[in-house]
Amino acid sequence: MAKIIDGKAISKQIREEIAAETAEFAKNSGFKPGLAVIIVGEDPASQVYVRNKRKACDEVGFYSESYELPAETTQEELETLVDKLNNDDKIHGILVQLPLPKHLDETRVLLKINPEKDVDAFHPYNVGKIMIGDYSFLPCTPAGVMALIERSEIDVCGKKCVVIGRSNIVGKPMAMLLLHSHGTVTICHSRTQNLASICKEADILVAAIGKADFVGADMIKEGAVVIDVGMNRKADGKLTGDVNFAEAEPLASYITPVPGGVGPMTITMLMQNTLTAAKNKVK
Ligand code: NAP
């Protein structure tokens, strides 16, 4: 029987720590960390994420602004807003909610964000810093996974780590962070041959695929740590991960559930990055 890594409880604990640090920081600096969130269009899932981010800011004592722009916003209008926020001293972190409507060039918008305010860590400058292991910000979801691993006192050093997924926002940075923690890392993707046998060797298996219940018993070594990043909606509307929990749980030593595992950590790490950005500003 695996130990369940309770992302909700760990997230709550970290948010309390951030709130205490924020109060101390505000007392000493005379200002609060500030986060601006921009959303373009009316994607319901994105609207929920933005609302949750605003709520999290209130909870930890940040200043926050949100910009809900119409779907027909032009590239120039969006970039002008990013520029304005780059020059706004109240704002230490800028987050542009992705995906953007198709007529907008995401890469150009992300490049516009001042890397010092890039709390999602998607700017190539910050991506490069992560590669060399000298970073201020980590992308929120992989950072959340590392926090879950660390707070569960799981030692990565020397372990065989397999990451399924090579996206820029999850898979690749996830692999890099495990490598920085001295794991021996393999990255798998849709063209990987013998996927199940590679996964079956993993001491730490991270699934970031986007396919419900994809990882089954045939892919999990007995005693493995299984981290499920996946967030998939089933036909009945229920949220489910990339790991078949019923099959994995009897084999794993630790496992993250969905919901209640990695999910709650992502916004918490955004709060952490915003506090870091505000502290860097004072430095
Ligand atoms: P993505 O950009 O679609 O990447 C998915 C990756 O999975 C790709 O690298 C793809 O390989 C690989 N893949 C797809 N089918 C595969 C297969 N049959 N065998 C092996 N690999 C396969 O997705 P993402 O943005 O990284 O997100 C992954 C999952 O995490 C999604 O469920 C997403 O909702 C979830 N997520 C959760 C959070 C959170 O806060 N918990 C945050 C972000 C994402 P190729 O590169 O070869 O196509």
Side-chain angles (χ1 to χ4, degrees):
M1 290 282 270
K3 278 194 191 146
I4 308 292
I5 300 179
D6 185 345
K8 248 175 143 174
I10 295 175
S11 172
K12 182 169 177 283
Q13 188 187 17
I14 297 176
R15 284 193 203 191
E16 283 166 6
E17 291 164 14
I18 294 172
E21 261 188 75
T22 298
E24 185 67 22
F25 172 83
K27 200 171 77 190
N28 296 332
S29 67
F31 61 88
K32 291 177 175 185
L35 176 69
V37 179
I38 305 173
I39 177 171
V40 186
E42 270 133 41
D43 177 53
S46 294
Q47 285 177 330
V48 172
Y49 295 142
V50 169
R51 216 175 304 132
N52 289 344
K53 282 165 188 166
R54 207 167 36 219
K55 227 173 94 194
C57 281
D58 292 344
E59 209 182 294
V60 297
F62 288 179
Y63 170 73
S64 73
E65 291 180 1
S66 47
Y67 294 85
E68 298 184 21
L69 308 181
E72 54 279 7
T73 300
T74 64
Q75 186 80 26
E76 200 188 341
E77 285 166 338
L78 182 54
E79 290 187 22
T80 302
L81 174 59
V82 170
D83 255 343
K84 178 177 100 71
L85 295 168
N86 279 339
N87 294 311
D88 184 338
D89 284 342
K90 296 190 301 303
I91 298 300
H92 308 99
I94 302 170
L95 183 142
V96 178
Q97 186 66 48
L98 302 179
L100 290 171
K102 290 216 166 27
H103 67 282
L104 295 171
D105 183 337
E106 257 173 37
T107 311
R108 260 179 58 194
V109 175
L110 296 180
L111 276 170
K112 263 278 165 195
I113 299 174
N114 176 350
E116 290 172 11
K117 297 191 176 189
D118 171 38
V119 284
D120 249 343
F122 292 163
H123 192 289
Y125 175 82
N126 286 319
V127 174
K129 299 256 289 176
I130 292 161
M131 279 291 282
I132 59 174
D134 165 29
Y135 41 76
S136 287
F137 309 126
L138 292 173
C140 299
T141 301
V145 171
M146 292 312 290
L148 290 179
I149 288 176
E150 280 155 23
R151 295 211 176 210
S152 305
E153 297 182 353
I154 294 163
D155 189 11
V156 177
C157 183
K159 300 281 164 54
K160 276 191 187 169
C161 306
V162 173
V163 179
I164 321 175
R166 57 173 166 179
S167 70
N168 289 332
I169 61 166
V170 189
K172 281 185 210 158
M174 186 70 252
M176 202 48 60
L177 299 190
L178 290 165
L179 185 62
H180 289 321
S181 293
H182 311 295
T184 302
V185 184
T186 303
I187 307 176
C188 299
H189 46 80
S190 65
R191 320 281 174 92
T192 298
Q193 293 179 2
N194 305 320
L195 179 68
S197 66
I198 295 170
C199 295
K200 188 100 186 159
E201 297 223 325
D203 301 308
I204 299 174
L205 180 63
V206 182
I209 311 159
K211 294 202 162 133
D213 298 335
F214 184 87
V215 176
D218 61 323
M219 299 171 79
I220 298 167
K221 177 166 114 175
E222 203 163 342
V225 173
V226 179
I227 308 286
D228 191 352
V229 181
M231 289 207 310
N232 312 293
R233 286 272 165 213
K234 281 190 163 170
D236 61 4
K238 282 201 180 130
L239 198 63
T240 189
D242 289 343
V243 175
N244 183 325
F245 189 88
E247 289 189 20
E249 195 265 343
L251 286 168
S253 57
Y254 289 85
I255 189 165
T256 60
V258 177
V262 177
M265 296 298 287
T266 299
I267 294 183
T268 300
M269 293 298 113
L270 176 68
M271 300 297 113
Q272 183 81 70
N273 282 348
T274 305
L275 176 58
T276 302
K279 284 183 176 171
N280 288 347
K281 171 92 182 162
V282 172
K283 270 192 226 154

